[in-house]
Amino acid sequence: MWYKITNLGQSSLSVDNYLITKDSRLSVAYYSFDHGLSPAKWDLHITDLRLSDAARYQCHVIQKD
């Protein structure tokens, strides 16, 4: 899950590859270069950055067995 954290609190942006936010400028990408043998990489992309995007962003990953 990706979160945007501001002084007003946190808001969820995504779950897995699915966006919760309605902001079309955001997207989430998942990369697994060796088919799960090493940790995967999750990226949050924001296009057309604005001053209102200034915040801390945090990714929470839960590993499935």
Side-chain angles (χ1 to χ4, degrees):
M1 293 184 78
W2 276 101
Y3 295 95
K4 180 179 182 179
I5 303 169
T6 65
N7 292 339
L8 301 175
Q10 75 180 25
S11 56
S12 299
L13 301 175
S14 72
V15 174
D16 199 27
N17 287 334
Y18 305 100
L19 291 176
I20 296 171
T21 181
K22 301 293 183 196
D23 192 337
S24 62
R25 299 175 308 120
L26 275 67
S27 64
V28 175
Y30 169 81
Y31 305 93
S32 179
F33 296 105
D34 57 7
H35 306 290
L37 298 176
S38 64
K41 181 177 178 184
W42 289 90
D43 290 337
L44 176 68
H45 298 273
I46 305 173
T47 58
D48 189 28
L49 282 173
R50 302 173 185 160
L51 189 56
S52 60
D53 295 322
R56 288 181 45 221
Y57 292 85
Q58 197 171 71
C59 181
H60 292 216
V61 178
I62 298 172
Q63 181 177 347
K64 292 188 235 179
D65 291 334

